[in-house]
Amino acid sequence: MTHVIVGAGPAGVIAADTLRKTDPGADVVLIGGEREPPYSRMAIPYYLTGKIAEQGTYLRSDAGHYDGAGIYYVQATVESVDAAAKNLNLAGGGSQSYDTLLIATGASPIRPPIDGLDQPGVHHCWTLADARNIVERANEGVDVVLIGAGFIACIILEALAERGVNLTVVETLDRMVPRMMNATAGNMVKRWCEGKGITVKTSTMVTALNIGTDGIEVQFDNGAAQRADLVVVATGVKSNIGFLEGSGVKMEDGIVVDERLATGVDGIFAAGDCAMGPEYGADGWRVHAIQPTAADHGRIAAMNMAGRDVCYKGSLNMNVLDTLGLVSASFGNWEGVEGGDHAEVVDEDGFRYMRLEFDGERLVGALSLGRTDNIGVLRGLIQTHVPLGGWVEKLKADPHRIVEAYVDGTQ
């Protein structure tokens, strides 16, 4: 039996380790497309700030982990999948056969429609190679423009700010972290960043990047322009699934999988940022590009590849972000549901905010800003679907009583 995993991020590495333990007699092959050992992209900001070396991003710290575990690591890129023959076609003409296959190829940065993206001094921040280029240029006092203010961009923002650069953030939409926060919370994050000396331009689009004798000219859709020594692009990601065309695997925003992380094509499973899996507490399927989901996907997919029958309960839409000391979080259906109700409390001066979303007697979504004491409570109530009964009206009057509601509802 040969288990092959394509993708050497958290989902792939956890799957490889799980397969080795669950099916000790099988061959386990892990294929990664980058020249570095398997690493975590979420650790890159710590490398940018100098808190860790490159080795600190590696998913397994011991150099001989994969050989020692009997995992055959191959540096290669998969160009296509022949599902009928159970064979992978590799770039350069090689191939790899499989009995079971896990697609854990993650995601890649979205390239916005901006002229000049491929010029020197313009970098995404997704790979270790990207990070090396940024570290070389992002020295104290240099002018940096960060395009994008989403979740990933805000993590990069903090790392750049710690390097002491003069930072301008540009976001097309009307607020920061727009896919995680509503206008009230997103604009509070903006004001917080501005208070830390960062320039934030929302409702603004970069239209072109031009290299001149004095650096990079960043042009905006309002006709204005700004000079930069470095431009970092972080405008979202998309699943790496193009190589599956013609394989028979069903794809939408990602690879559609069932509760066992199986694709419906014999022997093929998917996990992580490229998988469109069941969403906890909802009827739909979504791509949740967060590392906890990738870890769960990898482990459960591997057990099913090894012949176990393990169902995945679904991932919760959950993001927790620390932006220069301001902690924000969103859970579940934070935008609310049709016919639902909500409650909120706002402290603009204190940078504190909470909004609760209800569907009948159940809490289905929440936003929190400036607080860390209620994060576990909010997640617990949303995941467990505890009926809150009379607590719904009490929470509408005072959302701060969420801990009391949790204690009462879980006794």
Side-chain angles (χ1 to χ4, degrees):
M1 176 70 76
T2 300
H3 304 296
V4 176
I5 302 156
V6 183
V13 169
I14 288 171
D17 284 341
T18 303
L19 280 164
R20 176 45 64 232
K21 294 175 183 177
T22 309
D23 195 359
D27 293 328
V28 178
V29 179
L30 177 63
I31 300 176
E34 296 182 47
R35 67 180 181 87
E36 296 85 4
Y39 65 90
S40 170
R41 301 195 194 284
M42 296 306 295
I44 286 177
Y46 299 100
Y47 167 67
L48 290 178
T49 60
K51 293 178 180 176
I52 60 173
E54 281 195 26
Q55 290 77 9
T57 68
Y58 296 169
L59 288 165
R60 298 294 180 262
S61 58
D62 53 316
H65 172 80
Y66 301 99
D67 288 340
I71 298 168
Y72 181 47
Y73 181 68
V74 179
Q75 183 188 337
T77 300
V78 176
E79 290 192 334
S80 63
V81 176
D82 185 340
K86 290 195 170 183
N87 189 68
L88 306 178
N89 299 309
L90 307 179
S95 65
Q96 172 66 55
S97 61
Y98 65 87
D99 293 298
T100 69
L101 172 66
L102 177 64
I103 306 297
T105 44
S108 292
I110 293 172
R111 287 175 58 87
I114 299 172
D115 293 335
L117 277 183
D118 296 321
Q119 299 183 81
V122 181
H123 299 284
H124 292 277
C125 187
W126 192 246
T127 67
L128 273 174
D130 294 332
R132 292 185 202 107
N133 288 321
I134 292 170
V135 166
E136 184 178 344
R137 290 175 175 264
N139 300 311
E140 185 173 358
V142 306
D143 296 321
V144 179
V145 171
L146 173 62
I147 304 177
F151 180 83
I152 294 172
C154 282
I155 296 173
I156 298 167
L157 176 158
E158 183 167 53
L160 290 171
E162 287 192 33
R163 293 186 67 85
V165 305
N166 300 320
L167 183 59
T168 298
V169 180
V170 185
E171 169 57 48
T172 302
L173 298 181
D174 64 348
R175 62 191 185 276
M176 293 185 70
V177 280
R179 292 176 178 82
M180 174 183 164
M181 292 275 131
N182 62 15
T184 300
N187 283 314
M188 288 173 75
V189 176
K190 176 182 177 179
R191 288 195 299 107
W192 177 270
C193 290
E194 290 172 334
K196 300 292 184 179
I198 296 171
T199 300
V200 182
K201 299 177 183 288
T202 51
S203 300
T204 304
M205 183 180 296
V206 174
T207 57
L209 302 169
N210 300 313
I211 303 296
T213 56
D214 189 33
I216 306 167
E217 181 187 62
V218 183
Q219 296 182 346
F220 304 113
D221 57 349
N222 60 8
Q226 180 172 327
R227 179 199 168 279
D229 298 296
L230 168 69
V231 174
V232 179
V233 184
T235 54
V237 298
K238 60 181 179 180
S239 298
N240 292 326
I241 56 177
F243 69 98
L244 291 169
E245 292 293 340
S247 67
V249 172
K250 182 179 179 181
M251 297 178 285
E252 294 180 11
D253 291 338
I255 302 166
V256 180
V257 296
D258 61 18
E259 291 84 355
R260 297 175 64 252
L261 283 304
T263 66
V265 175
D266 183 36
I268 301 181
F269 298 75
D273 293 4
C274 67
M276 188 173 177
E279 184 176 17
Y280 190 89
D283 295 328
W285 262 237
R286 287 185 62 181
V287 175
H288 283 163
I290 55 176
Q291 189 157 316
T293 295
D296 288 343
H297 277 188
R299 178 178 56 84
I300 290 173
M303 287 192 288
N304 285 310
M305 292 166 71
R308 304 287 181 87
D309 187 10
V310 182
C311 287
Y312 181 54
K313 294 181 179 180
S315 56
L316 177 68
N317 183 23
M318 176 184 70
N319 288 290
V320 180
L321 179 66
D322 185 345
T323 308
L324 302 173
L326 181 65
V327 176
S328 56
S330 64
F331 302 91
N333 295 306
W334 61 267
E335 295 176 287
V337 296
E338 186 175 353
D341 208 344
H342 72 273
E344 68 178 356
V345 58
V346 185
D347 177 2
E348 291 279 1
D349 294 335
F351 292 94
R352 292 165 71 90
Y353 177 65
M354 184 186 295
R355 182 178 174 106
L356 307 177
E357 298 289 348
F358 301 99
D359 185 4
E361 294 186 348
R362 290 176 170 82
L363 183 70
V364 295
L367 294 176
S368 176
L369 188 76
R371 298 185 61 171
T372 58
D373 56 330
N374 54 32
I375 287 177
V377 168
L378 294 172
R379 177 179 179 176
L381 285 174
I382 293 168
Q383 281 191 307
T384 56
H385 288 225
V386 173
L388 293 171
W391 271 105
V392 173
E393 293 304 318
K394 295 176 184 177
L395 289 171
K396 287 180 185 178
D398 184 4
H400 288 137
R401 300 186 66 185
I402 190 69
V403 174
E404 295 177 64
Y406 177 81
V407 172
D408 192 32
T410 54
Q411 286 181 342

